[in-house]
């Protein structure tokens, strides 16, 4: 495989080369991994920093419609937009988010947009690595904005937030006792909460929902990376393309503040460090997936759950198998 | 050391023996650890399940006053109450929470109460293990209620929540824009939020704060272990001993529901399993604390943060030192 050629074509904004490179980083084959590493290393430092926007929202909130409308607004401004997805459920369900490009018909035909469905990988660690590498490829290619979409499954929001400059939470209007099912802890990550479907009959409900979340956000601890007024909750209508400009203005204002205050660079550095440590941790913890050790953990875990052995005694036994001493 | 004798004295509710046994499980010395393991194993299955109540609250919310008033109310009902603490900050600050028993003068003299300050350990993993073992000793001894106190530092709430049957979050009244600084994600763990100081001038503010949190709780996803109406927010005045009976009634109702629905046993099993896996993980991750490996991680981490090497390439180099292969 001619990595230098692939590199050059990506830098010349050849979309087929980009698609091929993403397929390469998504592969689990050892030789592909080696080529992917070589390609990424040769591209490091090229291109500019895109604005990486993480977007989470459960099915039914209108995520596809939002991405389509929001993406079209950005390309109309002359910006190049890539859309990627992290979907740990796709391997199980057999489908994948973004897989059905017909849900984003206009955006998928836009020459300034690039849409890539999520790789079918069951292991979230693998999805995270491959998505980060796809983001790096899109940055080297020269996209202005990289949208990283996820559904609220397991740890996928954390994964996306840790590779994004901005994190958006998209919600649907919910009246009274009709719960949103916002995962506990997810508000922690949101920079902007967007209550979608603020149109027609749902408009007043959307505004009430927005006020509820604005109130909830005010009860949380202030983060150093937030200027006055952030995180914030806003209403939008992706369908009527209403509020999208305003939301983009807020994103731009937040981004500029973070760039000027140094938080942008700090966050990028901290994220690189996070993924380095995370990969090391995952690599070491893979020790526990080895046949004999795994069997012992499963067997002892059942006895611990049944109260037949204390957690500490059982842990000591497993660690003894690994010939490790803990203090 | 005569472990059989210590065991017998604990089962006979000898408080000095209990204090000595807790000192033993708090020790890091290898021979003490072996004796502690032997003692805990010999006590396993003895005594009854106490109600383990985790309690978190930042300094200033009136935690000591609450524990004193709440504890006195329980002992007046004929219940035996133990109070333990998890305080990862004590090693750093040199002090420890609960260290100053004069803050709980009445309770500390109550023959049906037992107060134990937090061990001075800087490593949260160590504190967690020792506190869990102290809880097991208190259960074998025969306490009806074990209160586990913590301040909102780092991961200490998670540690306490994972060893508690009920988790209480104690807050102070806060008006308008005066933020509570509730750590993002902590509401996830609360079964009951208690807004303290609902007395005198602060009473109406406390009621407003309580309503705000009740609203915020309703916006979160329902958990299977919660009956209708939980988690809930309530006001109390530890000073005027007001609302304490009502809060105990709610705790009792929640506990009974969880016992009958099987969630109590499921949670105890899941917690034992959690700590087993957690100790195994911590033991394996201790590999990364070894001299050469740690030095390499620090050095590569700096280069990753500076953008000189990708996180994946750096991680592969560290894992190569450990001679581990990851998929």
């Amino acid at each position: 495989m001619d990595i230098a050629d692939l590199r050059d074509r990506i830098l010349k904004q050849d979309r087929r080369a980009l698609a091929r490179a993403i397929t390469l980083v998504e592969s689990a084959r050892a030789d592909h991994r080696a080529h992917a590493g070589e390609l990424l290393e040769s591209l490091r430092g090229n291109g500019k920093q895109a604005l990486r926007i993480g977007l989470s929202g459960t099915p039914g909130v209108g995520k596809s419609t939002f991405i389509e409308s929001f993406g079209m607004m950005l390309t109309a401004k002359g910006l190049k937009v890539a859309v990627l997805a992290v979907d740990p459920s796709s391997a199980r369900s057999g489908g994948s988010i973004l897989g059905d490009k017909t849900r984003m018909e206009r955006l998928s035909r836009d020459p300034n947009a690039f849409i890539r469905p999520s790789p079918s990988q069951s292991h979230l660690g693998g999805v995270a690595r491959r998505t980060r590498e796809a983001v790096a490829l899109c940055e080297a290619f020269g996209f202005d904005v990289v949208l990283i979409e996820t559904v609220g499954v397991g740890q996928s929001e954390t994964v996306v937030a840790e590779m994004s400059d901005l994190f958006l939470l998209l919600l649907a209007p919910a009246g009274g006792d009709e719960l949103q099912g916002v995962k506990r802890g997810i508000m922690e990550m949101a920079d902007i909460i967007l209550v979608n479907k603020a149109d027609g009959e749902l408009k007043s409900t959307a505004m009430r929902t927005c006020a509820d979340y604005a109130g909830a956000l005010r009860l949380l601890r202030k983060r150093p990376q937030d200027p006055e007024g952030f995180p914030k909750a806003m209403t939008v209508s992706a369908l009527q393309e209403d509020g999208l400009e305003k939301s983009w203005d807020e994103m731009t204002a937040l981004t500029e503040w973070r760039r000027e205050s140094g938080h942008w660079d700090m966050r990028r550095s901290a994220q690189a460090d996070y993924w380095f440590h995370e990969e090391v941790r995952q690599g070491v913890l893979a020790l526990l997936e080895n046949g004999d050790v795994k069997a012992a953990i499963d067997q002892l875990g059942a006895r611990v759950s049944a109260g037949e052995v204390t957690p500490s005694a059982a842990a000591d036994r497993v660690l003894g198998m690994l010939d490790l001493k803990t203090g």
Side-chain angles (χ1 to χ4, degrees), chain A:
Chain A
M1 187 176 291
D2 190 343
I3 296 299
D5 177 59
L6 195 54
R7 169 189 179 278
D8 292 343
R9 285 166 53 206
I10 288 170
L11 292 178
K12 282 180 199 144
Q13 308 209 329
D14 175 340
R15 295 164 62 103
R16 284 182 56 202
L18 174 64
R20 199 172 151 216
I22 294 180
T23 302
L24 185 66
V25 301
E26 283 175 2
S27 170
R29 261 176 57 182
D31 57 332
H32 289 171
R33 293 290 325 142
H35 280 134
E38 198 185 324
L39 175 64
L40 289 162
E41 190 55 32
S42 75
L43 284 167
R44 192 168 51 77
N46 279 290
K48 60 174 189 291
Q49 288 184 327
L51 174 61
R52 305 173 184 169
I53 303 177
L55 173 70
S56 177
T58 46
V61 301
K63 205 147 41 39
S64 304
T65 314
F66 175 81
I67 293 173
E68 166 120 319
S69 298
F70 186 70
M72 292 300 291
M73 178 195 70
L74 295 180
T75 57
K77 291 180 191 297
L79 297 171
K80 286 186 159 51
V81 180
V83 184
L84 305 171
V86 169
D87 178 15
S89 68
S90 64
R92 254 169 294 155
S93 68
S96 78
I97 54 177
L98 288 177
D100 184 8
K101 287 198 192 179
T102 55
R103 294 182 310 151
M104 300 181 199
E105 205 186 342
R106 286 183 301 151
L107 193 63
S108 64
R109 284 181 318 208
D110 190 319
N112 283 319
F114 176 86
I115 301 180
R116 178 80 181 195
S118 65
S120 285
Q121 297 280 345
S122 58
H123 180 49
L124 190 55
V127 173
R129 179 170 178 158
R130 285 154 187 76
T131 308
R132 277 190 299 118
E133 291 174 347
V135 170
L137 292 171
C138 289
E139 289 205 325
F141 185 97
F143 284 101
D144 300 292
V145 175
V146 180
L147 258 172
I148 311 159
E149 175 193 4
T150 190
V151 286
V153 174
Q155 293 295 304
S156 69
E157 281 114 343
T158 306
V159 165
V160 170
E162 280 295 340
M163 58 178 76
S164 302
D165 303 310
L166 292 181
F167 191 72
L168 310 181
L169 178 59
L170 199 67
L171 297 174
D177 287 339
E178 194 189 323
L179 295 180
Q180 285 278 303
V182 170
K183 203 161 53 186
R184 294 152 182 266
I186 188 178
M187 278 201 290
E188 150 183 19
M189 293 178 282
D191 292 309
I192 301 179
I193 288 179
L194 296 171
V195 181
N196 192 22
K197 305 189 182 180
D199 45 47
E201 285 182 0
L202 284 174
K203 187 156 187 173
S204 61
T205 311
M207 289 173 70
R208 238 181 0 253
T209 301
C210 181
D212 286 349
Y213 279 95
L217 287 173
R218 274 194 297 272
L219 292 172
L220 298 174
R221 184 181 292 182
K222 188 162 160 47
R223 305 175 302 184
Q225 70 269 32
D226 292 327
E228 198 55 42
F230 284 92
K232 69 172 57 185
M234 315 174 56
T235 55
V236 293
S237 164
L239 195 67
Q240 299 189 347
E241 302 180 8
D242 193 29
L244 299 178
E245 285 282 356
K246 190 160 181 300
S247 75
W248 176 244
D249 289 345
E250 295 289 355
M251 292 176 218
T252 308
L254 179 57
T255 300
E256 276 171 14
W257 186 88
R258 286 189 181 163
R259 278 197 178 280
E260 281 165 21
S261 63
H263 283 287
W264 171 288
D265 287 337
M266 277 193 282
R267 183 159 170 75
R268 286 268 173 131
S269 284
Q271 286 177 342
D273 198 52
Y274 170 88
W275 287 112
F276 164 53
H277 281 95
E278 196 55 27
E279 289 205 14
V280 169
R281 284 167 53 94
Q282 295 305 327
V284 170
L285 289 171
L287 271 178
L288 304 176
E289 303 295 325
N290 292 349
D292 285 355
V293 178
K294 190 170 176 2
I297 289 175
D298 290 347
Q299 196 206 337
L300 281 162
R303 296 190 54 208
V304 166
S305 295
E308 294 168 12
V309 57
T310 66
S312 301
D316 286 347
R317 241 176 276 178
V318 172
L319 295 172
M321 289 179 70
L322 291 167
D323 203 22
L324 304 173
K325 284 281 163 250
T326 55

